Amino acid sequence: MQIIGEKINGTRKQVAQAIVERDAHYIQHLARRQAEAGSTWLDVNAGTHPDREPDDLVWLVSTIQAVVDTPLSLDSANPQALAAAIKIVNQTPLINSISGEPQRLNGVLPLVVEYGCPVIALAMGDRGIPESSAARVEVIQRVLEATRAAGIPDERVYVDALAMTLSTNTQSAVIFCDTIREVRAAYPKVHCNAGLSNISYGLPARSYVNRAFLTLALAAGLDCAILDPLDRELRATLLAAELVLGRDSYCLNYVRAYRAGVFTPNP
Amino acid sequence: MQIIGEKINGTRKQVAQAIVERDAHYIQHLARRQAEAGSTWLDVNAGTHPDREPDDLVWLVSTIQAVVDTPLSLDSANPQALAAAIKIVNQTPLINSISGEPQRLNGVLPLVVEYGCPVIALAMGDRGIPESSAARVEVIQRVLEATRAAGIPDERVYVDALAMTLSTNTQSAVIFCDTIREVRAAYPKVHCNAGLSNISYGLPARSYVNRAFLTLALAAGLDCAILDPLDRELRATLLAAELVLGRDSYCLNYVRAYRAGVFTPNP
C-alpha cells in the first residue's frame, strides 16, 4: 500500500498562510512528520491562484526537499506550475493529475512523457464526473488509451475512481469500489488511488466513515491513498484490514507495528 | 443487522463466579446494559459443567427475564440443558447451536422443531472444522438438508461459517467471507452469523482486527453477529460500514446515532 501524505495542501488555511508568508519552518515540520510516519509520497499543492501557483509550487518543492528525501506528488492541474516544479525535483515525482478532460490531458500528458513520471488519472471527463461505475470505467479506458498511445506503461498510472461524499449520494462508495474492481480486472497492472477523506465530507464523526471506506476499498483493489499519515487510527485500520484480507504473512506487519507502538492496545 | 450480546457467558471468569454464587445482581446488570445498547438477542451460556448446566441455564434465564424483555439466545450443545431452559423462556429463543456433527444435530434439532425456534448452524462436521470454504459450504448444505427435511424454513437458520483466529491461519477471514458469499448465493433466505472476536484470538490490539473483520464480513453478507454491544467503537464501525455499503438511506441512521451520542466526534 502506497500512502500519499495529504497535509501540504494550499487549500488548507494554515498551509495557505505559510505559503504566503514563506514560512519554511511550518512546511518543513509537516514534511518531516509525514515522512517519519511512512509516507510513500508527499503531496504538494500550492493552492488555487493561477498567477502565483508556479512560484509557490517551486518554493514548496525546494523547501520540502531541503529536509526530506520522500518523493513528491505534484498536485496541480496547471501545466505551467507542473513544468516549473518538475525541473527542480530531486526524484521523479508523481503527477497529480490528468483526467479525461481533453484540456487537462493534452496539457499535462507531455510532461508525464518527457520526465517519465508516474501519474494519477481521474475518472472525470469533459462533462464532469460520471454517475455510474460503468461510465467511470469508460472514462478510464479513454485515458488509458491516451497514456498507452503516449508510451506510458500501465504500471505508471494511478487510476483514481473519485470518492465523492456519501452525504449527497449514499451509493458513492459502492460506485467507487465497483469501478476499481472493474478497472483492476481489465488493467491488472495499473494502481488504484483514492482521496480518502472526500468520502465523508459534510458528515459528522468522519474518521469512522473514512476507516470503513479504506477497509472496503482495500478489499476492492485499492493500493494507494491520499490520506493523513499522522492519523494513528487510520494506520491501525490499514494494518488490521490488510491482516484480515489475508495479506500479512504470519501477522508480522501487524504485530511488529503493535510492538513499535504504532497504535494503542485495545481501548 | 441483528446483534447477539455476548457478555453472559459462563466461560468468562466473572460470569462463572456469579453463576456459582447465584449473584443475580451481576447477571442482571449485564443483561440490562446489553439490552439498553440495542441487542437483538442476549446470549446465555452457563459454562461447561455438564452435570450443573441444566440448573445453571434455567437460573440464568429466569434471572435475566426478571429484568429485560430482550429475547434470549440459548448457548449450549447439551440437549438436556436446552430442553430445561426452553420450557421457561418467555419469548421464542434462538438456539445456539446445531452443526453437521450427527450427535449434535440429532440431539438439538427435535427441540428446534418442537418449539419453532430460530437456530444457529455451525459449519462444523464430524471431522471438525473444514479448512476450505468449499468444504464448509458442503457441511452447511448437509445441515440445511436436515433443517429443510425437518420443516424448518431457511429464514429461521443462522449459518455460522466459523471465524477462526488469524493468528494461526491468516486466510481465516477470507475463508469465512468466501463461505458466506457462497451460502448467500445458494440460500438467499438464511441469515449469516459470526462469533466476531474469535477472529483476533491471541493477537494484540484485537479491537482493530475485530472492526476490520466486521466491515468486510458485512460486505460479504453477514447480517448477525455475537459481539460486545457495549463496545462503542464497534457500534460506530457497524454504523459507518452500513453507510459506506450504501445501506443507510440519506445517512439517517449514522447521523441520528451521532446526535444521540452513540459515538464520539472525530478523535
Side-chain angles (χ1 to χ4, degrees):
Chain A
M1 180 76 182
Q2 298 185 31
I3 304 289
I4 307 174
E6 73 182 7
K7 295 190 91 74
I8 303 175
N9 190 314
T11 64
R12 296 173 60 213
K13 202 174 159 190
Q14 281 187 291
V15 174
Q17 192 182 337
I19 293 170
V20 168
E21 296 171 0
R22 292 296 190 251
D23 178 355
H25 181 77
Y26 181 74
I27 298 296
Q28 289 173 341
H29 177 70
L30 289 182
R32 273 202 202 91
R33 289 191 65 204
Q34 292 187 103
E36 285 162 8
S39 301
T40 318
W41 311 88
L42 298 185
D43 200 62
V44 188
N45 179 314
T48 51
H49 296 278
D51 51 329
R52 298 202 321 245
E53 197 184 352
D55 282 351
D56 288 349
L57 195 61
V58 164
W59 176 77
L60 280 173
V61 166
S62 56
T63 300
I64 296 164
Q65 288 187 153
V67 293
V68 299
D69 292 331
T70 311
L72 306 181
S73 160
L74 301 178
D75 184 357
S76 172
N78 177 344
Q80 284 71 44
L82 288 170
I86 212 166
K87 288 193 181 75
I88 62 151
V89 290
N90 291 338
Q91 298 185 71
T92 307
L94 177 63
I95 300 298
N96 181 7
S97 56
I98 57 172
S99 71
E101 300 157 289
Q103 202 182 347
R104 196 154 173 182
L105 193 59
N106 299 333
V108 175
L109 202 56
L111 288 169
V112 172
V113 173
E114 185 180 350
Y115 291 89
C117 302
V119 63
I120 293 177
L122 308 180
M124 176 160 50
D126 44 0
R127 281 171 300 181
I129 301 166
E131 184 73 8
S132 70
S133 60
R136 289 191 195 180
V137 171
E138 269 176 42
V139 171
I140 292 299
Q141 283 168 338
R142 273 188 279 127
V143 176
L144 284 166
E145 275 168 28
T147 54
R148 285 177 169 187
I152 301 166
D154 286 358
E155 53 265 39
R156 263 172 46 204
V157 180
Y158 290 65
V159 168
D160 189 323
L162 292 169
M164 311 300 291
T165 176
L166 290 157
S167 65
T168 52
N169 181 357
T170 52
Q171 296 310 304
S172 160
V174 172
I175 293 166
F176 180 93
C177 290
D178 286 350
T179 304
I180 68 174
R181 258 188 291 267
E182 288 184 55
V183 167
R184 275 247 169 266
Y187 304 96
K189 291 190 173 171
V190 300
H191 297 279
C192 287
N193 179 58
L196 200 73
S197 62
N198 294 332
I199 202 73
S200 59
Y201 186 79
L203 286 168
R206 294 179 63 176
S207 177
Y208 294 112
V209 180
N210 296 346
R211 290 180 232 163
F213 177 55
L214 176 61
T215 303
L216 292 166
L218 280 169
L222 194 80
D223 67 350
C224 184
I226 305 181
L227 52 75
D228 178 0
L230 307 181
D231 181 338
R232 289 160 66 100
E233 289 289 326
L234 205 53
R235 288 167 72 196
T237 299
L238 175 59
L239 286 155
E242 289 188 329
L243 173 58
V244 172
L245 287 165
R247 301 172 188 170
D248 183 0
S249 300
Y250 305 103
C251 313
L252 271 181
N253 289 339
Y254 192 79
V255 173
R256 274 185 191 146
Y258 173 76
R259 288 189 183 145
V262 168
F263 40 87
T264 53
N266 279 4
Chain B
M1 180 75 181
Q2 298 186 32
I3 304 290
I4 306 174
E6 73 182 7
K7 295 191 92 72
I8 303 175
N9 191 313
T11 65
R12 295 173 60 213
K13 202 176 162 189
Q14 281 187 291
V15 173
Q17 192 182 337
I19 293 170
V20 168
E21 297 172 359
R22 293 296 190 251
D23 179 355
H25 181 78
Y26 181 74
I27 299 296
Q28 289 174 341
H29 177 69
L30 289 181
R32 272 202 202 90
R33 288 190 68 202
Q34 292 186 101
E36 286 163 8
S39 300
T40 318
W41 311 87
L42 297 186
D43 200 62
V44 188
N45 180 313
T48 51
H49 296 278
D51 50 330
R52 297 203 322 245
E53 197 185 352
D55 283 352
D56 287 350
L57 195 60
V58 164
W59 176 76
L60 280 173
V61 166
S62 55
T63 300
I64 297 164
Q65 288 187 153
V67 294
V68 300
D69 292 331
T70 311
L72 305 181
S73 160
L74 300 178
D75 183 358
S76 172
N78 178 345
Q80 284 73 44
L82 289 170
I86 212 167
K87 288 192 181 77
I88 62 152
V89 290
N90 291 338
Q91 298 186 72
T92 306
L94 177 63
I95 301 298
N96 180 8
S97 55
I98 57 173
S99 73
E101 300 158 289
Q103 202 184 347
R104 196 156 175 182
L105 194 58
N106 299 334
V108 176
L109 202 56
L111 288 169
V112 172
V113 173
E114 185 180 349
Y115 291 89
C117 302
V119 62
I120 294 178
L122 308 180
M124 176 160 50
D126 45 359
R127 281 172 300 181
I129 301 166
E131 185 73 8
S132 71
S133 60
R136 290 191 196 181
V137 171
E138 269 176 41
V139 171
I140 292 299
Q141 283 169 338
R142 274 187 281 127
V143 176
L144 285 166
E145 275 168 28
T147 54
R148 285 177 169 186
I152 301 166
D154 286 357
E155 52 266 40
R156 264 173 44 205
V157 181
Y158 290 65
V159 169
D160 189 323
L162 290 169
M164 310 301 292
T165 177
L166 291 157
S167 65
T168 53
N169 180 358
T170 51
Q171 297 310 304
S172 162
V174 172
I175 293 165
F176 180 93
C177 290
D178 286 350
T179 304
I180 67 173
R181 258 187 291 267
E182 287 184 55
V183 167
R184 274 247 170 267
Y187 305 96
K189 289 189 174 172
V190 300
H191 297 279
C192 287
N193 180 58
L196 199 74
S197 61
N198 295 331
I199 202 73
S200 60
Y201 185 78
L203 287 168
R206 295 180 63 177
S207 176
Y208 294 111
V209 180
N210 296 346
R211 290 181 232 163
F213 177 56
L214 176 61
T215 303
L216 293 166
L218 280 169
L222 194 80
D223 66 350
C224 184
I226 304 181
L227 52 75
D228 178 1
L230 307 181
D231 181 336
R232 290 159 66 99
E233 289 289 325
L234 206 52
R235 289 167 71 198
T237 299
L238 175 59
L239 286 156
E242 290 189 327
L243 172 58
V244 171
L245 286 165
R247 301 172 188 170
D248 183 1
S249 300
Y250 304 105
C251 312
L252 271 182
N253 289 338
Y254 192 78
V255 173
R256 274 185 190 146
Y258 173 76
R259 287 190 183 145
V262 168
F263 40 86
T264 52
N266 278 5

